[in-house]
Amino acid sequence: MTPHYIHELRLKVRDYECDLQGIVNNANYQHYLEHARHEFLLSTGAGFADLHRQGIDPVVARINLSFKTPLRSGDEFVCRLALRKEGIKYVFCQDIYRASDEKLVLKGVVEAVCLVDGRLADSPLFARLFAPYLKDE
């Protein structure tokens, strides 16, 4: 089942992100997903650095990645993001597709929690910012 995507970010593979086999090194996919989450957050009106200054630190608790098709230097791709809430966790379902043919490259699930003033807690700010995206749950 395809998730209901609420945000997408188009990027292009840079040469230095590839390994000796000419494909994107697996660690770089986490960078792509993180950048897409940060851009999503900015689209809601919240910047990562501003949140930190307010004592709100979203942190990754768990990542599960399933690699399907490798990307190569110069490939354009799209990171798509869906969001759900499970208790105190925000679960980001993030998929990457190669732009040229919409071929699935990676399926990812990233679980994040909030530290508010250094303590694990629900963030009222996130509840408000993410409410429009979670209303169908």
Side-chain angles (χ1 to χ4, degrees):
M1 186 172 127
T2 303
H4 172 69
Y5 298 117
I6 58 172
H7 184 78
E8 70 176 46
L9 179 66
R10 190 177 185 107
L11 297 167
K12 185 175 181 179
V13 174
R14 296 161 289 205
D15 292 338
Y16 68 84
E17 297 169 329
C18 298
D19 57 24
L20 289 175
Q21 293 102 357
I23 59 176
V24 171
N25 181 277
N26 61 63
N28 287 312
Y29 291 97
Q30 287 190 53
H31 294 287
Y32 300 154
L33 298 179
E34 181 172 23
H35 187 55
R37 287 192 309 279
H38 284 219
E39 289 295 318
F40 167 68
L41 195 54
L42 282 171
S43 77
T44 69
F48 210 74
D50 291 334
L51 290 169
H52 177 72
R53 284 190 284 277
Q54 296 173 50
I56 302 169
D57 292 301
V59 295
V60 171
R62 178 176 295 154
I63 296 178
N64 185 1
L65 303 178
S66 180
F67 298 91
K68 304 297 185 179
T69 303
L71 289 170
R72 299 181 182 284
S73 182
D75 280 348
E76 292 187 10
F77 60 96
V78 181
C79 294
R80 294 190 174 117
L81 179 149
L83 177 65
R84 69 179 187 269
K85 191 158 189 320
E86 294 178 357
I88 201 165
K89 296 184 298 191
Y90 288 97
V91 180
F92 295 87
C93 295
Q94 293 186 261
D95 300 330
I96 296 177
Y97 293 86
R98 189 169 50 207
S100 63
D101 58 4
E102 283 293 311
K103 186 155 185 155
L104 180 63
V105 171
L106 176 138
K107 290 192 77 55
V109 177
V110 180
E111 296 177 1
V113 294
C114 284
L115 300 178
V116 179
D117 296 322
R119 303 186 95 155
L120 183 64
D122 248 334
S123 164
L125 176 62
F126 275 23
R128 182 173 50 79
L129 293 175
F130 295 162
Y133 306 104
L134 298 171
K135 63 184 174 190
D136 294 332
E137 289 198 341

